[in-house]
Amino acid sequence: MSHRAEAADVRSGDAGVEGNSRLTGTVGVLLLILLFAEGLTILSIRGLITLHLFIGLLLVPPVALKIVTTGYRFARYYTHAAPYVRRGPPHTILRLIGPVLIAMTAVLLGTGVWLIVVGPDHAGLILLAHKASFVIWFGLTAIHVLAHVRETVVLAAKDVRRPDPARPVPGRGIRTSAVALALVAGVALGAVVTPTATAWTTTRANVEGHR
């Protein structure tokens, strides 16, 4: 392979890493907004239980997309793909808490959906697991957000601005479509499932008794 071809491969690989980072950043900004809104509903859960359930369901597809993009980067790094090795790993602490954060996110959302299915009369240990996972998840997420918030916003902004012809990063349309599809899927999930949670949303006493 010629030096020119090798250089082209390097540029292509690095563009792939940058594209993955931008997608992760964009969906990260979306999640920050949605999580902030979900946090506000907790402040008045009795009056905002319907919105709390809807946003919680809406979060599922974007969270799944974030896990996929992050997991892909980790997989490529640990399989020694040169462009990802050049980009380097996250800080050691962030690498250590990453798997735990993913697990706690899965437990938090999973128990939330499970609570919708079983209703308040059979919440019991599921609600306890939901609350406990939230406490752990919140602490880990706070560390994760503080470490990445600036980088996340900068990466997301790069796909909003006019592309730099000198350093092209192809795939902006695909990345935008992926985030939009995750958001639409979340809205659809919330719109379909939330109306079925009448045991939680129509009886204030149920919500008050299971805070």
Side-chain angles (χ1 to χ4, degrees):
M1 181 181 292
S2 68
H3 292 301
R4 181 176 296 178
E6 289 178 354
D9 285 345
V10 169
R11 288 194 297 271
S12 175
D14 289 340
V17 177
E18 179 67 16
N20 175 268
S21 297
R22 291 186 184 188
L23 176 56
T24 303
T26 302
V27 73
V29 169
L30 174 63
L31 286 174
L32 284 175
I33 296 170
L34 294 177
L35 289 171
F36 179 75
E38 182 76 329
L40 292 179
T41 66
I42 296 175
L43 300 177
S44 182
I45 192 68
R46 287 175 292 180
L48 299 174
I49 183 63
T50 301
L51 184 59
H52 179 78
L53 296 177
F54 179 82
I55 297 176
L57 291 163
L58 193 161
L59 279 163
V60 173
V63 165
L65 178 59
K66 178 70 157 50
I67 291 173
V68 168
T69 62
T70 305
Y72 180 81
R73 177 189 172 184
F74 269 73
R76 296 287 284 166
Y77 175 81
Y78 284 110
T79 54
H80 307 294
Y84 287 85
V85 172
R86 281 194 297 273
R87 178 62 66 93
H91 190 279
T92 302
I93 294 177
L94 298 178
R95 276 187 287 167
L96 291 175
I97 71 171
V100 183
L101 177 56
I102 291 174
M104 287 298 99
T105 301
V107 172
L108 181 63
L109 294 178
T111 53
V113 173
W114 198 355
L115 285 169
I116 293 175
V117 174
V118 302
D121 292 336
H122 303 282
L125 292 177
I126 306 171
L127 183 61
L128 179 62
H130 187 65
K131 291 179 177 180
S133 62
F134 171 77
V135 173
I136 300 172
W137 172 89
F138 183 83
L140 296 176
T141 298
I143 297 172
H144 181 81
V145 170
L146 289 173
H148 288 292
V149 63
R150 183 179 181 279
E151 177 190 14
T152 295
V153 173
V154 169
L155 286 168
K158 288 181 178 180
D159 260 355
V160 175
R161 297 197 301 261
R162 184 185 299 274
D164 182 0
R167 301 182 63 184
V169 179
R172 181 167 67 163
I174 295 175
R175 293 190 293 273
T176 302
S177 297
V179 175
L181 181 60
L183 181 59
V184 170
V187 171
L189 181 64
V192 170
V193 177
T194 302
T196 69
T198 53
W200 290 102
T201 60
T202 60
T203 306
R204 170 172 285 192
N206 284 334
V207 179
E208 291 177 343
H210 291 83
R211 291 189 68 184

